[in-house]
Amino acid sequence: MKILFLNKDYILKAISMKEVIEEDEKAFVITSDKNANIPLRTNVDIKKYKGQVLYMPGYLPEEEISGQKIISIYPENINKNLPSAPSTMILLDAQTGFVKAIIDGTILTRLRTGAMSGVASKYLSRKDSKIFLLIGTGGQAQSQLEAVLTVRQIEEVYVSDTNFKRAQDFSFEMQEKFKDKFNVKIMPVKSPNDIVPKADIITTVTTSKTPSFDGKLIKKGTHINSIGSYTPDAQETPVEVLKKSSKIYFDSYDAVLSETGDVIIPINKGEFSKDKITGEIGQLIKGNKKPRENDDEITWFKAVGTAVLDLVVGEKIYKKAIKNNIGEFLEF
């Protein structure tokens, strides 16, 4: 049996962010149409090292895609110069159950997670958005940045982190990386609240237990992507975002309501009602729900990520790699 092995370099050679955004759109529609057999992911606490291991299996019958991603969340890895979310994706032949590919799940996760904000920003942010605030500089940050730059002609990016040196280093690195691809200025900022009043798009990608910025400062017309919080006790998004937003979309209604403190905490406190949820982003993509209706609306997208994304994007990477003779085969 031959298994295709795809590391980071192979993956980045096989697929572009624009293509990942397109695949995420397909995955969101599959999720909303309920055309997937995706159990809620299993979380295993590794308390000694302040980590968690998440198991995300799934099967897409219409697409005949099967597999499982194993992802570990270790926030303190950033202090060891290691990815805070190392991961491996295993793709199976849906007809036989044999493993057909082992994919670097860390880069897959970064790409498909960044693309989630790209999709949401494409459908919900103002088309003339120019100023982007990125909060968090961990392993997910680069793809979050690239995805928003891919769908909107951003002129200024402001980067915030609890460690200002990390914000400085990240800004310099990204300015160099994307200088030939995007006409944008990327700058560190000591406090996100200095930028919130003028930001057109805000993306939070942190593991913070408490709100990462002052929601009272949001201006009319802002779109917010909340990507980081994935446990019931983590609330990186200020409750004011939920209260001010006229359009609220989730990647998966059930997953968000069962997994993230961004929604669970304000609901339990009586500060937010499920009635305010507009729907799933897949419904919006299909045209079954309303997009932004004017330039004054504040919109919010909350995602926790599902195995559908990994399966769809992973399969696309696999097919493109096979077609273009990318990667290496392991004999098993």
Side-chain angles (χ1 to χ4, degrees), residues 8 16-17 24 29 43 53 57 67 72 115 123 168-169 181 184 190 209 229 245 248 267 274 292 305 307:
K8 176 181 177 181
S16 69
M17 176 54 75
D24 268 16
V29 171
N43 292 11
V53 179
S72 303
Y123 282 91
Q168 288 179 307
D169 292 345
K181 187 174 183 180
V184 64
K190 289 188 175 179
K209 302 290 187 183
S229 299
S245 295
I248 295 176
I267 285 178
K274 297 177 185 178
R292 169 184 293 276

Side-chain angles (χ1 to χ4, degrees), residues 112-127:
R112 66 80 148 156
T113 304
M116 290 196 296
S117 291
V119 173
S121 298
K122 172 183 173 181
Y123 282 91
L124 292 170
S125 72
R126 296 190 337 269
K127 292 183 179 179

